[in-house]
Amino acid sequence: MVISWFESYFDFRESQRLDLEKKVERFFEWHRKSELPKVVVFLEEFQVRYKDGFDQDDINWVTPELKLLWKRILSYAEDDIASFLLTVDESQILEINEEFHEKEDDWLIEQSKMSLKELRKDILDRTYKALDKWLGDVEPSQKKQVATWIQPDPYWVAIKLRNREKFQNELIDLLRSKERLKENIQSWVSDPELHWTDEYQTNIEGKKREWETIFLKIDSITLPRQRKHFVEKIDGYISDFQDLAGTQKEYDNDMKLTLGQ
């Protein structure tokens, strides 16, 4: 899937495909052994906090934890990303640039073309779908309450589009500056905010707080059966990640030794 995502923007040479396959395989081997156990610890703590209901302190805990998980991933992958991008030639850069400007089927562009009524419906439909996935069936009365908390913001959609355009243009410039790519990739990984527009930086924190407030309101009307459904979903992820990391097998062996089996 990772390789297919890259190739959706430009055609690989065979040597690039083989190189990227090796890098991706090495990355996921590291991630399974090093990071999935940390993700499991995070999810277990998240689960404990969620069972009793979420509050602002819990959100304040989640945000830096997620940033740390993401930072470790980017830090590990930084050199591999740079070495792969150094192999991208001018004809491939042109392909990427064309793909950036011709993509008309993603959700952000679709939202930018909607009327206020259509945008509201789209946001609510996406929210209801996510709630149904994580909480199970959401009651009509709950959906009615959620609808009063979520308002469409076409100005924010436009800001995100302009921010993405700036980001993409600067990425193209980065790909063309081979002599500076390796040293500059670090700033892209550690400080992506440097490539945001001023208006995006001005508004992003307010939007985060807006959705944090909505999340807390939704949590306040969550039914016991829905909270149970959410916890069971998290249990499923914890079990899957333990299997992938091999930690569940180690835990079972330790238990057998403890019990003298």
Side-chain angles (χ1 to χ4, degrees), residues 49 54-66 212:
R49 290 171 176 267
F54 241 54
D55 58 24
Q56 189 61 50
D57 286 341
D58 295 316
I59 287 180
N60 293 341
W61 170 81
V62 165
T63 302
E65 288 291 321
L66 289 177
E212 286 175 1

Side-chain angles (χ1 to χ4, degrees), residues 4 6 14 27 56-57 65 71-72 83 97 101 105 124 152 155 197 211 222 229 246 251:
S4 295
F6 271 104
E14 186 59 26
F27 169 80
Q56 189 61 50
D57 286 341
E65 288 291 321
K71 184 177 181 180
R72 283 199 300 266
S83 65
N97 199 30
H101 290 92
D105 57 348
L124 286 175
Y155 178 61
T197 63
W211 277 98
T222 298
H229 184 275
Y251 174 80

